[in-house]
Amino acid sequence: MTDVVVDVILPCLDEAEALPWVLGRLPDGFRPIVVDNGSVDGSSSVARSLGAVVIAEPRRGFGAACHAGLSVAVAEVVCFCDCDASLDPRQLPRVAGRVLDGSADLVLGRRRPVTRGVWPLPARLANRELARRIRRRTGTRVHDLGPMRAARRADLLALGLADRRCGYALEMVVRAADAGWRVCEVEVDYLPRIGRSKVTGTLRGFRQAVQDMSAVLTR
């Protein structure tokens, strides 16, 4: 896979502390696109100093950052990965491999916590319920709305994803399933993040995520 260039979209909001670890573990052939979503801690400068492509997305929102990265990507296959060190970029080939070999259209990294306390019970239960609703809504056997994922860039753009906040990742799975895509999961490690979660770490963020995802499932 070292001869294949895969663009890795890394939505970033104040992740200067985590970026060296994340970017330093990207495998050969995987090119980082860091999308700065309004950081005030110098994340952009850190990412550039480490050789990443850096773009700015001033409109705040996880979906806005992800889609901005997708819009500038040029590789045939793209991956998405959180930028807080909770996911190991060395496992990206495991996720992208099924897309690269043509055996799947969308691959989700099913998170497996490496230590106790990595995934708080409320967040884990919410994710489990969300996965259940996805299965009921689409018939696709999904167990985790994992943020590490891979698909073909042109196919993703053709889905016409509209959410620009917390529902983006969910909308991707729902629309892919509705379009008849082959969706599968592979296991990836879930690690202690560096810094505070922008969603489950705040009451406002959690409420926004619930609202956005509920809206996607009722469309």
Side-chain angles (χ1 to χ4, degrees), residues 54-138:
V54 179
I55 65 170
E57 174 48 68
R59 180 169 51 165
R60 190 66 66 85
F62 177 78
C66 286
H67 207 72
L70 180 62
S71 298
V72 303
V74 296
E76 182 179 355
V77 173
V78 298
C79 290
F80 296 84
C81 183
D82 280 354
C83 212
D84 58 6
S86 63
L87 298 165
D88 189 347
R90 291 188 305 181
Q91 297 181 343
L92 283 167
R94 183 185 304 177
V95 178
R98 295 285 301 274
V99 178
L100 289 166
D101 69 18
S103 62
D105 302 307
L106 174 63
V107 181
L108 308 176
R110 184 177 181 180
R111 292 168 287 182
R112 293 295 189 189
V114 298
T115 60
R116 292 177 61 87
V118 170
W119 203 349
L121 182 60
R124 190 163 66 250
L125 292 177
N127 182 74
R128 185 179 301 171
E129 171 61 17
L130 181 60
R132 186 191 67 80
R133 294 178 66 182
I134 294 172
R135 292 194 298 270
R136 185 176 64 182
R137 162 69 173 76
T138 67

Side-chain angles (χ1 to χ4, degrees), residues 8 28 90 99 102 104 109-110 120 132 143 154-155 170-171 185 204 218:
V8 182
D28 290 340
R90 291 188 305 181
V99 178
R110 184 177 181 180
R132 186 191 67 80
H143 301 87
D155 293 342
L170 172 60
E171 185 185 17
E185 295 176 320
R204 179 181 179 184
T218 56

Side-chain angles (χ1 to χ4, degrees), residues 8 10 15-34 46-53 81-85 87-93 191 194:
V8 182
L10 297 156
E15 305 289 5
E17 188 179 357
L19 277 166
W21 186 89
V22 172
L23 295 177
R25 294 172 77 85
L26 278 166
D28 290 340
F30 286 72
R31 177 175 52 195
I33 300 177
V34 174
V46 172
R48 287 193 184 93
S49 72
L50 295 169
V53 175
C81 183
D82 280 354
C83 212
D84 58 6
L87 298 165
D88 189 347
R90 291 188 305 181
Q91 297 181 343
L92 283 167
L191 311 167
I194 295 176

